[in-house]
PDB file of all heavy atoms in Angstrom:
ATOM      1  N   THR A 104       3.316   0.857 -30.402  1.00  0.00           N
ATOM      2  CA  THR A 104       2.820  -0.291 -31.161  1.00  0.00           C
ATOM      3  C   THR A 104       1.369  -0.564 -30.805  1.00  0.00           C
ATOM      4  O   THR A 104       0.937  -0.274 -29.688  1.00  0.00           O
ATOM      5  CB  THR A 104       3.658  -1.548 -30.851  1.00  0.00           C
ATOM      6  OG1 THR A 104       3.596  -1.806 -29.454  1.00  0.00           O
ATOM      7  CG2 THR A 104       5.094  -1.359 -31.271  1.00  0.00           C
ATOM      8  N   PRO A 105       0.598  -1.126 -31.736  1.00  0.00           N
ATOM      9  CA  PRO A 105      -0.810  -1.418 -31.441  1.00  0.00           C
ATOM     10  C   PRO A 105      -0.935  -2.400 -30.269  1.00  0.00           C
ATOM     11  O   PRO A 105      -0.117  -3.293 -30.091  1.00  0.00           O
ATOM     12  CB  PRO A 105      -1.323  -2.051 -32.733  1.00  0.00           C
ATOM     13  CG  PRO A 105      -0.362  -1.644 -33.793  1.00  0.00           C
ATOM     14  CD  PRO A 105       0.956  -1.446 -33.107  1.00  0.00           C
ATOM     15  N   ALA A 106      -1.986  -2.216 -29.503  1.00  0.00           N
ATOM     16  CA  ALA A 106      -2.177  -3.037 -28.305  1.00  0.00           C
ATOM     17  C   ALA A 106      -2.714  -4.421 -28.628  1.00  0.00           C
ATOM     18  O   ALA A 106      -2.552  -5.341 -27.850  1.00  0.00           O
ATOM     19  CB  ALA A 106      -3.129  -2.334 -27.345  1.00  0.00           C
ATOM     20  N   GLY A 107      -3.371  -4.573 -29.764  1.00  0.00           N
ATOM     21  CA  GLY A 107      -3.919  -5.873 -30.121  1.00  0.00           C
ATOM     22  C   GLY A 107      -5.285  -6.144 -29.501  1.00  0.00           C
ATOM     23  O   GLY A 107      -5.813  -7.238 -29.600  1.00  0.00           O
ATOM     24  N   THR A 108      -5.858  -5.153 -28.850  1.00  0.00           N
ATOM     25  CA  THR A 108      -7.188  -5.284 -28.262  1.00  0.00           C
ATOM     26  C   THR A 108      -8.040  -4.115 -28.714  1.00  0.00           C
ATOM     27  O   THR A 108      -7.594  -3.248 -29.465  1.00  0.00           O
ATOM     28  CB  THR A 108      -7.116  -5.299 -26.721  1.00  0.00           C
ATOM     29  OG1 THR A 108      -6.576  -4.042 -26.280  1.00  0.00           O
ATOM     30  CG2 THR A 108      -6.243  -6.425 -26.206  1.00  0.00           C
ATOM     31  N   ASP A 109      -9.263  -4.064 -28.214  1.00  0.00           N
ATOM     32  CA  ASP A 109     -10.159  -2.979 -28.594  1.00  0.00           C
ATOM     33  C   ASP A 109      -9.750  -1.638 -27.987  1.00  0.00           C
ATOM     34  O   ASP A 109     -10.105  -0.587 -28.504  1.00  0.00           O
ATOM     35  CB  ASP A 109     -11.597  -3.305 -28.163  1.00  0.00           C
ATOM     36  CG  ASP A 109     -12.200  -4.399 -29.040  1.00  0.00           C
ATOM     37  OD1 ASP A 109     -11.695  -4.614 -30.157  1.00  0.00           O
ATOM     38  OD2 ASP A 109     -13.175  -5.028 -28.603  1.00  0.00           O
ATOM     39  N   THR A 110      -9.035  -1.656 -26.904  1.00  0.00           N
ATOM     40  CA  THR A 110      -8.569  -0.405 -26.305  1.00  0.00           C
ATOM     41  C   THR A 110      -7.075  -0.273 -26.549  1.00  0.00           C
ATOM     42  O   THR A 110      -6.362  -1.249 -26.703  1.00  0.00           O
ATOM     43  CB  THR A 110      -8.837  -0.382 -24.784  1.00  0.00           C
ATOM     44  OG1 THR A 110      -8.178  -1.486 -24.180  1.00  0.00           O
ATOM     45  CG2 THR A 110     -10.316  -0.451 -24.504  1.00  0.00           C
ATOM     46  N   GLY A 111      -6.611   0.958 -26.569  1.00  0.00           N
ATOM     47  CA  GLY A 111      -5.198   1.209 -26.810  1.00  0.00           C
ATOM     48  C   GLY A 111      -4.385   1.075 -25.544  1.00  0.00           C
ATOM     49  O   GLY A 111      -4.902   0.784 -24.467  1.00  0.00           O
ATOM     50  N   TRP A 112      -3.086   1.305 -25.676  1.00  0.00           N
ATOM     51  CA  TRP A 112      -2.204   1.264 -24.528  1.00  0.00           C
ATOM     52  C   TRP A 112      -2.585   2.370 -23.567  1.00  0.00           C
ATOM     53  O   TRP A 112      -2.823   3.492 -23.956  1.00  0.00           O
ATOM     54  CB  TRP A 112      -0.755   1.463 -24.954  1.00  0.00           C
ATOM     55  CG  TRP A 112      -0.185   0.291 -25.656  1.00  0.00           C
ATOM     56  CD1 TRP A 112       0.042   0.174 -26.989  1.00  0.00           C
ATOM     57  CD2 TRP A 112       0.227  -0.940 -25.082  1.00  0.00           C
ATOM     58  NE1 TRP A 112       0.567  -1.044 -27.281  1.00  0.00           N
ATOM     59  CE2 TRP A 112       0.695  -1.753 -26.116  1.00  0.00           C
ATOM     60  CE3 TRP A 112       0.236  -1.436 -23.785  1.00  0.00           C
ATOM     61  CZ2 TRP A 112       1.170  -3.029 -25.906  1.00  0.00           C
ATOM     62  CZ3 TRP A 112       0.718  -2.707 -23.569  1.00  0.00           C
ATOM     63  CH2 TRP A 112       1.180  -3.481 -24.617  1.00  0.00           C
ATOM     64  N   ALA A 113      -2.623   2.066 -22.310  1.00  0.00           N
ATOM     65  CA  ALA A 113      -2.880   3.035 -21.244  1.00  0.00           C
ATOM     66  C   ALA A 113      -4.177   3.806 -21.491  1.00  0.00           C
ATOM     67  O   ALA A 113      -4.293   4.964 -21.158  1.00  0.00           O
ATOM     68  CB  ALA A 113      -1.705   3.992 -21.092  1.00  0.00           C
ATOM     69  N   THR A 114      -5.130   3.158 -22.117  1.00  0.00           N
ATOM     70  CA  THR A 114      -6.448   3.720 -22.429  1.00  0.00           C
ATOM     71  C   THR A 114      -6.355   5.043 -23.178  1.00  0.00           C
ATOM     72  O   THR A 114      -7.059   5.989 -22.875  1.00  0.00           O
ATOM     73  CB  THR A 114      -7.316   3.881 -21.167  1.00  0.00           C
ATOM     74  OG1 THR A 114      -6.709   4.843 -20.313  1.00  0.00           O
ATOM     75  CG2 THR A 114      -7.499   2.578 -20.448  1.00  0.00           C
ATOM     76  N   LEU A 115      -5.446   5.109 -24.158  1.00  0.00           N
ATOM     77  CA  LEU A 115      -5.338   6.311 -24.975  1.00  0.00           C
ATOM     78  C   LEU A 115      -6.496   6.425 -25.952  1.00  0.00           C
ATOM     79  O   LEU A 115      -6.847   7.510 -26.361  1.00  0.00           O
ATOM     80  CB  LEU A 115      -4.018   6.316 -25.746  1.00  0.00           C
ATOM     81  CG  LEU A 115      -2.763   6.536 -24.908  1.00  0.00           C
ATOM     82  CD1 LEU A 115      -1.543   6.397 -25.765  1.00  0.00           C
ATOM     83  CD2 LEU A 115      -2.797   7.897 -24.260  1.00  0.00           C
ATOM     84  N   GLN A 116      -7.077   5.316 -26.342  1.00  0.00           N
ATOM     85  CA  GLN A 116      -8.189   5.331 -27.271  1.00  0.00           C
ATOM     86  C   GLN A 116      -9.435   4.786 -26.582  1.00  0.00           C
ATOM     87  O   GLN A 116      -9.336   3.842 -25.792  1.00  0.00           O
ATOM     88  CB  GLN A 116      -7.866   4.435 -28.474  1.00  0.00           C
ATOM     89  CG  GLN A 116      -6.617   4.841 -29.207  1.00  0.00           C
ATOM     90  CD  GLN A 116      -6.171   3.740 -30.160  1.00  0.00           C
ATOM     91  OE1 GLN A 116      -6.653   2.622 -30.103  1.00  0.00           O
ATOM     92  NE2 GLN A 116      -5.239   4.069 -31.025  1.00  0.00           N
ATOM     93  N   PRO A 117     -10.568   5.357 -26.865  1.00  0.00           N
ATOM     94  CA  PRO A 117     -11.789   4.799 -26.269  1.00  0.00           C
ATOM     95  C   PRO A 117     -12.088   3.449 -26.891  1.00  0.00           C
ATOM     96  O   PRO A 117     -11.687   3.154 -28.021  1.00  0.00           O
ATOM     97  CB  PRO A 117     -12.867   5.828 -26.621  1.00  0.00           C
ATOM     98  CG  PRO A 117     -12.330   6.577 -27.797  1.00  0.00           C
ATOM     99  CD  PRO A 117     -10.821   6.525 -27.690  1.00  0.00           C
ATOM    100  N   PRO A 118     -12.795   2.573 -26.178  1.00  0.00           N
ATOM    101  CA  PRO A 118     -13.124   1.262 -26.753  1.00  0.00           C
ATOM    102  C   PRO A 118     -14.043   1.429 -27.951  1.00  0.00           C
ATOM    103  O   PRO A 118     -14.864   2.332 -28.015  1.00  0.00           O
ATOM    104  CB  PRO A 118     -13.816   0.525 -25.609  1.00  0.00           C
ATOM    105  CG  PRO A 118     -14.160   1.556 -24.611  1.00  0.00           C
ATOM    106  CD  PRO A 118     -13.281   2.733 -24.833  1.00  0.00           C
ATOM    107  N   ARG A 119     -13.870   0.548 -28.930  1.00  0.00           N
ATOM    108  CA  ARG A 119     -14.717   0.571 -30.119  1.00  0.00           C
ATOM    109  C   ARG A 119     -16.099   0.033 -29.766  1.00  0.00           C
ATOM    110  O   ARG A 119     -16.220  -0.910 -28.977  1.00  0.00           O
ATOM    111  CB  ARG A 119     -14.097  -0.306 -31.207  1.00  0.00           C
ATOM    112  CG  ARG A 119     -12.801   0.232 -31.701  1.00  0.00           C
ATOM    113  CD  ARG A 119     -12.280  -0.629 -32.839  1.00  0.00           C
ATOM    114  NE  ARG A 119     -10.861  -0.363 -32.995  1.00  0.00           N
ATOM    115  CZ  ARG A 119      -9.933  -1.283 -33.124  1.00  0.00           C
ATOM    116  NH1 ARG A 119     -10.258  -2.558 -33.121  1.00  0.00           N
ATOM    117  NH2 ARG A 119      -8.683  -0.969 -33.262  1.00  0.00           N
ATOM    118  N   PRO A 120     -17.127   0.632 -30.346  1.00  0.00           N
ATOM    119  CA  PRO A 120     -18.464   0.106 -30.053  1.00  0.00           C
ATOM    120  C   PRO A 120     -18.622  -1.303 -30.619  1.00  0.00           C
ATOM    121  O   PRO A 120     -18.156  -1.610 -31.707  1.00  0.00           O
ATOM    122  CB  PRO A 120     -19.413   1.091 -30.731  1.00  0.00           C
ATOM    123  CG  PRO A 120     -18.565   1.918 -31.639  1.00  0.00           C
ATOM    124  CD  PRO A 120     -17.146   1.778 -31.210  1.00  0.00           C
ATOM    125  N   SER A 121     -19.238  -2.160 -29.846  1.00  0.00           N
ATOM    126  CA  SER A 121     -19.430  -3.547 -30.293  1.00  0.00           C
ATOM    127  C   SER A 121     -20.571  -3.625 -31.278  1.00  0.00           C
ATOM    128  O   SER A 121     -21.551  -2.892 -31.191  1.00  0.00           O
ATOM    129  CB  SER A 121     -19.679  -4.451 -29.098  1.00  0.00           C
ATOM    130  OG  SER A 121     -20.865  -4.042 -28.440  1.00  0.00           O
TER     131      SER A 121
END
Side-chain angles (χ1 to χ4, degrees):
T104 58
T108 62
D109 288 340
T110 59
W112 288 105
T114 65
L115 289 175
Q116 302 166 348
R119 294 184 199 133
S121 62

